[in-house]
Amino acid sequence: MAVAASALLTVGLLAGCGSNGGNEGGASPSADASAGAGASKPAKEEKVTLQFWRNSGNDAENSAYDKLVASFMEKYPNIKVQMSPIPYADYDTKLRTSIASGNPPDIMAIDAPNMASYAQAGALKPLTDYFKADGDLQDIPETTMSAYTYQNQIYMAPLTESSIALFYNKKMFEAAGIPLPSKNPEEPMTWDQVLDAAKKLTNPAKGVYGIDPAQGFQNAGATAYFKYPIIWQFGGEVMSADGTTSKGYLDSPETKKALQFFSDLYNKDKVSALEYPPDPFPNGKLAMTVDGSWSLSYYADKFPDFKLGEDWDIAPLPKGTKQAVANGSWALAVSSKSKHPDEAWKFVNWVTGHDGQKTYTSITKDIPVRYSVAKEYPELSEYPKNVFVVQNQKFGRSRPVTPIFPQMSEAVNKLFEDVTIGKRNIDAAAADAIKKIDKAYADLQSQAK
C-alpha cells in the first residue's frame, strides 16, 4: 500500500462514507440468515450485475480468479460479476477515490491491515451475520479471523495466508559444528540460541553475516509483517487491543527488551548488516534469514543448485518467551453502498468457501486459511510447508487492527530505524513513536466529528 496516498485520502474517505460502519448493525438477520440457509428462491430472480475490484496479481492468481468468476456465473446465471483487476500501485488510491465519490464496487479486495480504516469510515458491510449463517466460521482459526474483525464485527472473508520462518544454511551449520534446528513447528530455537549461532557463523573478512532478523529496513508494511513478531516473541505489544493507543505498549519493558535485542544484533554483536549484496542467502553471504513461504519457489526457480534439504533448510521462527507470527492477507469485502449485498456475499462465500478456496490454492499454491482445505493437501502436513501452516494456525497474530494502521506502521518503522541505524535512546525513540501514533488517532477522531 502506498502509505502517503492512503493518509492523504483518509479525510476524503471519511467525508464520503460517514461514521463507523459498525453502527449499521451488520446484515439483516432475517434476510441474511434465509439467504445463507438456502431458502426457497422466488419464481423469477432479478438479474443482478456485481462490480468486483481486486489488485491484479501474477498469472496464477489471475487464472484462479478467472476460473472462480466463470464457475460462479455458471452456477448463478442471474448474477453477472464484472471483475476489474487493477495494478497494485494504483489500487488503493483508486478504491478510496471511488468510495469517497460514492461509487464504489460491490465487492473489493483489501489487504488485512487496511481493513479497519475502511470499516471505521463506514465503507464496508459487516459480514458477521452472513458468516454465522453459512460462512463455516469454525473452519477458520480464530486468530486468523481477528485480522478481519473490527469493533466486534467481521468485515472481510479471508482466502489465503502466507507466513515467515527461519531459513538457515545447513552446510554452514554443519561446518561450524552447530546443532541443526528442529523441524518441528512447535520447537523453535530461542533468540539467544540464534544469536549464539550467528556469532559463530559471522565472518566479516568473507562478507558473511549470521542473521538478517527481519528483511532489513524496507517500507513500513514490511516492518509490520517481519518486525512485529519479534516484539510479540519477547512478550511485548505494539498497540492496545482496541487499536487506539500505543502508550503502555511500545514503551513496555518487554517491547523495549525486544528493540534492544534487535539493535544489538547490528551494533553490539555485529552479526547483522544494514546492507547486503543481492540475494545474500542463496549466494552464501548470509547464514540465517527470516523469510517468507513465497521464497520457496523463488529459490527453486532462480537458484536450482542451492537445494532445500541439502544446502539449506527451514525452522520455525525463533522465540523469546513465546512463539508468534503475523497473519492476515488480502481478503474480500462487500461495500456498504452495494444495492445487492446478498448476491455480493454469495460470490464472496463462493470464492472463500471450501470449494472456492481449494480451486484457488490448487492453482496459486498459496496456503489456504481453512483447516479443511489445508488437510486436503498432503504437502501442507509435511516438512517444510507444515512449518508455515502450523505457525499460522497455532501462533498467528493479527497486526494491530486500527484505522490508523498506515500512520502507526510508519511510526514503528521509524522507531526500529532510530534505535538501530541512528543508535538513539530507546526510551526517547519510543516516546516519539507513541506521540505520533496517538496524535494520528486523535486527528482521526476529530475528523469524524
Side-chain angles (χ1 to χ4, degrees):
M1 181 194 70
V3 173
S6 174
L8 286 172
L9 285 166
T10 298
V11 176
L13 175 57
L14 287 165
C17 301
S19 60
N20 189 331
N23 292 335
E24 294 179 12
S28 168
S30 57
D32 300 339
S34 63
S40 60
K41 297 180 180 179
K44 186 176 182 180
E45 289 188 358
E46 175 190 3
K47 288 191 179 263
V48 169
T49 297
L50 300 175
Q51 299 294 330
F52 169 37
W53 286 14
R54 65 177 181 86
N55 57 311
S56 58
N58 56 39
D59 290 343
E61 293 166 345
N62 294 334
S63 175
Y65 267 119
D66 286 341
K67 186 172 183 178
L68 286 167
V69 169
S71 64
F72 176 81
M73 291 193 294
E74 182 178 356
K75 175 73 172 178
Y76 301 101
N78 287 311
I79 305 176
K80 181 179 180 180
V81 178
Q82 292 185 337
M83 179 170 61
S84 300
I86 298 170
Y88 175 80
D90 302 326
Y91 183 75
D92 194 63
T93 298
K94 286 191 174 183
L95 182 57
R96 290 180 183 271
T97 301
S98 75
I99 292 170
S101 66
N103 190 33
D106 298 277
I107 304 155
M108 60 197 83
I110 297 174
D111 198 6
N114 299 333
M115 178 270 297
S117 66
Y118 286 96
Q120 172 73 21
L124 307 183
K125 176 82 172 175
L127 302 179
T128 309
D129 290 333
Y130 287 110
F131 261 107
K132 288 180 179 178
D134 67 344
D136 201 10
L137 269 175
Q138 69 274 13
D139 195 30
I140 306 173
E142 288 186 19
T143 52
T144 296
M145 289 309 301
S146 68
Y148 309 101
T149 302
Y150 179 61
Q151 295 186 348
N152 299 316
Q153 289 279 10
I154 300 170
Y155 282 99
M156 298 206 298
L159 179 58
T160 63
E161 270 289 9
S162 57
S163 191
I164 55 179
L166 181 69
F167 291 29
Y168 65 95
N169 189 305
K170 185 176 180 181
K171 289 186 175 179
M172 285 187 184
F173 268 67
E174 292 172 339
I178 301 171
L180 298 179
S182 171
K183 295 180 179 180
N184 186 333
E186 299 185 60
E187 295 180 356
M189 296 175 72
T190 66
W191 274 110
D192 286 339
Q193 290 172 326
V194 169
L195 175 58
D196 183 63
K199 289 178 178 177
K200 297 174 182 176
L201 295 166
T202 297
N203 188 335
K206 295 184 178 180
V208 176
Y209 286 87
I211 175 74
D212 180 354
Q215 290 294 304
F217 297 87
Q218 302 181 36
N219 58 47
T223 292
Y225 199 71
F226 285 93
K227 295 182 176 66
Y228 291 1
I230 296 176
I231 291 176
W232 300 330
Q233 288 154 8
F234 278 81
E237 298 289 346
V238 179
M239 289 192 80
S240 58
D242 60 6
T244 62
T245 182
S246 285
K247 182 65 177 175
Y249 301 92
L250 271 186
D251 53 356
S252 71
E254 294 82 4
T255 299
K256 288 191 287 187
K257 183 177 180 180
L259 289 166
Q260 187 66 64
F261 180 88
F262 185 89
S263 175
D264 285 348
L265 292 176
Y266 294 83
N267 299 314
K268 176 185 174 185
D269 304 306
K270 302 187 184 302
V271 297
S272 303
L274 295 177
E275 293 183 6
Y276 298 101
D279 294 308
F281 181 64
N283 284 322
K285 297 300 182 181
L286 193 56
M288 293 178 283
T289 185
V290 173
D291 208 341
S293 52
W294 55 87
S295 288
L296 295 177
S297 58
Y298 175 76
Y299 290 148
D301 180 46
K302 300 296 183 181
F303 300 90
D305 294 331
F306 187 58
K307 297 186 181 300
L308 177 65
E310 295 180 19
D311 301 297
W312 63 285
D313 257 321
I314 293 171
L317 280 183
K319 71 173 184 179
T321 59
K322 62 179 70 174
Q323 284 187 259
V325 61
N327 62 19
S329 188
W330 287 82
L332 301 187
V334 174
S335 169
S336 62
K337 301 294 184 182
S338 176
K339 296 178 181 178
H340 309 289
D342 292 348
E343 290 84 356
W345 165 254
K346 188 172 288 188
F347 175 73
V348 167
N349 204 25
W350 176 268
V351 172
T352 64
H354 174 277
D355 293 350
Q357 207 165 106
K358 186 175 180 182
T359 296
Y360 186 91
T361 56
S362 69
I363 296 172
T364 65
K365 308 305 178 185
D366 288 323
I367 298 172
V369 299
R370 292 188 175 273
Y371 291 118
S372 61
V373 180
K375 288 179 180 177
E376 295 188 32
Y377 294 105
E379 66 268 24
L380 296 183
S381 300
E382 301 168 356
Y383 179 85
K385 289 190 176 180
N386 70 317
V387 172
F388 300 105
V389 174
V390 173
Q391 281 190 147
N392 262 322
Q393 292 181 349
K394 293 192 173 183
F395 309 109
R397 289 194 51 173
S398 63
R399 287 158 283 183
V401 179
T402 175
I404 57 161
F405 185 88
Q407 300 95 317
M408 179 274 300
S409 194
E410 188 64 46
V412 177
N413 183 52
K414 190 172 189 309
L415 171 60
F416 272 93
E417 290 181 350
D418 282 351
V419 300
T420 304
I421 301 175
K423 302 179 183 179
R424 191 179 176 199
N425 175 271
I426 288 177
D427 289 333
D432 278 356
I434 291 168
K435 184 177 179 180
K436 292 176 183 176
I437 292 167
D438 288 357
K439 182 181 185 301
Y441 192 81
D443 288 347
L444 178 69
Q445 294 300 101
S446 65
Q447 292 165 4
K449 293 178 181 179

